[in-house]
């Protein structure tokens, strides 16, 4: 397989996660967090400007596609504008087009469920690269599994109103656990989603190789 260096992005106007791969090898990862009191255009420029410095040495740019089920039109607009600025900056330097992948497709490529929780992605990355001890990983997995068990029990309830209310509560608990994992490990969804993009793309390229 030809050696390729690619930059993977999980775009967000508040915290853009990025990772750099050399084929299967994860070389670098991090996130760009502009100051919150800046305007949308100022934050987009800061993110684009910092990423542009990485573009020169890259062969490909891989971006997680905008999730159409995103909450709030404002979020969708900000992400679309940021993506447009990133694409423009890339095309000024490179001839090839960026590649876009849906989160659900990437998750399936690496063996996760397409609709899995954010914390599932975090724990997958933490385990795959052994970023934390097995003891800590096991504790997080246990907390995650308890939530899935509760979710299954709630889904079997006959009272629709109560079921809906409790499922909303469980969703909140999953989000809370995701933030706890980030706080204790330093790996949030921004970084983990970008790394997952790289793993998914690498897997896709290997599949194409054997198909051809």
């Amino acid at each position: 397989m030809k050696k390729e260096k690619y930059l993977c992005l999980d775009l967000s106007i508040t915290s853009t996660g990025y990772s750099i791969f050399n084929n299967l090898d994860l070389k670098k990862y991090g996130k760009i967090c502009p100051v919150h009191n800046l305007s949308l255009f100022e934050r987009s420029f800061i993110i684009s400007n910092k990423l542009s410095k990485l573009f020169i040495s890259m062969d490909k740019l891989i971006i997680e596609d905008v999730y159409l089920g995103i909450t709030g039109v404002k979020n969708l607009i900000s992400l679309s504008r940021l993506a447009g600025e990133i694409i423009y900056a890339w095309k000024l330097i490179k001839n090839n087009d960026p590649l876009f992948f849906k989160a659900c497709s990437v998750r399936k490529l690496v063996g996760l469920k397409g609709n899995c929780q954010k914390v599932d992605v975090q724990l997958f990355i933490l385990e795959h690269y052994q970023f934390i001890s097995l003891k800590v990983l096991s504790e997080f997995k246990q907390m995650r599994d308890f939530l899935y068990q509760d979710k299954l029990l709630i889904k079997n309830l006959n009272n629709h109103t109560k079921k809906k209310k409790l499922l909303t509560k469980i969703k909140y608990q999953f989000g809370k656990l995701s933030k706890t994992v980030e706080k204790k490990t330093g790996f949030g969804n921004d970084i983990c989603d970008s790394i997952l993009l790289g793993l998914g793309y690498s897997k896709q390229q290997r599949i194409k190789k054997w198909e051809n």
Side-chain angles (χ1 to χ4, degrees):
M1 187 186 294
K2 180 185 175 182
K3 280 285 183 181
E4 277 187 333
K5 200 170 183 181
Y6 41 94
L7 176 65
C8 305
L9 303 177
D10 175 42
L11 295 179
S12 167
I13 203 68
T14 55
S15 180
T16 287
Y18 69 88
S19 59
I20 296 173
F21 281 80
N22 198 335
N23 278 21
L24 290 175
D25 299 326
L26 175 63
K27 295 298 184 181
K28 186 179 180 181
Y29 53 83
K31 57 184 177 180
I32 302 170
C33 306
V35 179
H36 290 286
N37 60 2
L38 297 176
S39 70
L40 168 61
F41 296 104
E42 288 173 320
R43 283 183 282 170
S44 295
F45 175 76
I46 288 170
I47 294 169
S48 176
N49 188 49
K50 288 187 176 181
L51 290 174
S52 294
K53 296 173 183 177
L54 301 173
F55 289 169
I56 298 173
S57 61
M58 296 297 136
D59 296 307
K60 290 185 178 177
L61 175 64
I62 303 169
I63 302 174
E64 183 177 296
D65 214 348
V66 176
Y67 173 52
L68 296 180
I70 191 171
T71 305
V73 175
K74 187 176 180 181
N75 291 331
L76 184 58
I77 291 172
S78 65
L79 272 178
S80 299
R81 287 176 177 169
L82 175 58
E85 186 150 354
I86 297 298
I87 294 167
Y88 177 73
W90 172 261
K91 292 296 288 182
L92 285 177
I93 300 171
K94 300 290 182 175
N95 291 322
N96 60 318
D97 294 335
L99 303 174
F100 284 84
F101 285 86
K102 294 185 183 298
C104 58
S105 301
V106 173
R107 290 171 180 176
K108 289 177 182 177
L109 277 170
V110 300
L112 292 170
K113 289 185 177 179
N115 63 344
C116 70
Q117 299 291 329
K118 291 179 178 181
V119 71
D120 290 320
V121 175
Q122 289 168 280
L123 296 183
F124 177 86
I125 295 300
L126 291 170
E127 182 173 18
H128 184 84
Y129 288 101
Q130 300 180 355
F131 284 140
I132 58 175
S133 69
L134 289 175
K135 181 178 181 296
V136 175
L137 180 68
S138 178
E139 289 172 355
F140 283 141
K141 280 187 172 183
Q142 188 177 51
M143 288 186 276
R144 188 266 319 266
D145 292 344
F146 280 147
L147 287 176
Y148 271 119
Q149 290 169 17
D150 287 344
K151 185 178 181 180
L152 185 61
L153 291 172
I154 292 168
K155 279 188 172 182
N156 291 324
L157 294 176
N158 293 321
N159 189 320
H160 179 73
T161 303
K162 188 174 183 180
K163 182 194 295 187
K164 187 176 180 180
K165 185 177 179 180
L166 289 173
L167 285 174
T168 300
K169 187 176 180 181
I170 285 293
K171 185 178 180 180
Y172 169 79
Q173 292 298 327
F174 270 116
K176 190 175 178 180
L177 178 57
S178 173
K179 290 177 182 177
T180 299
V181 171
E182 179 177 10
K183 185 177 180 180
K184 291 188 176 182
T185 67
F187 287 85
N189 285 111
D190 39 24
I191 294 175
C192 290
D193 281 346
S194 73
I195 295 175
L196 201 73
L197 271 176
L199 290 175
Y201 174 74
S202 299
K203 180 78 174 290
Q204 185 192 65
Q205 294 306 105
R206 295 203 305 278
I207 292 172
K208 284 183 178 179
K209 176 187 174 182
W210 290 110
E211 287 178 341
N212 298 330

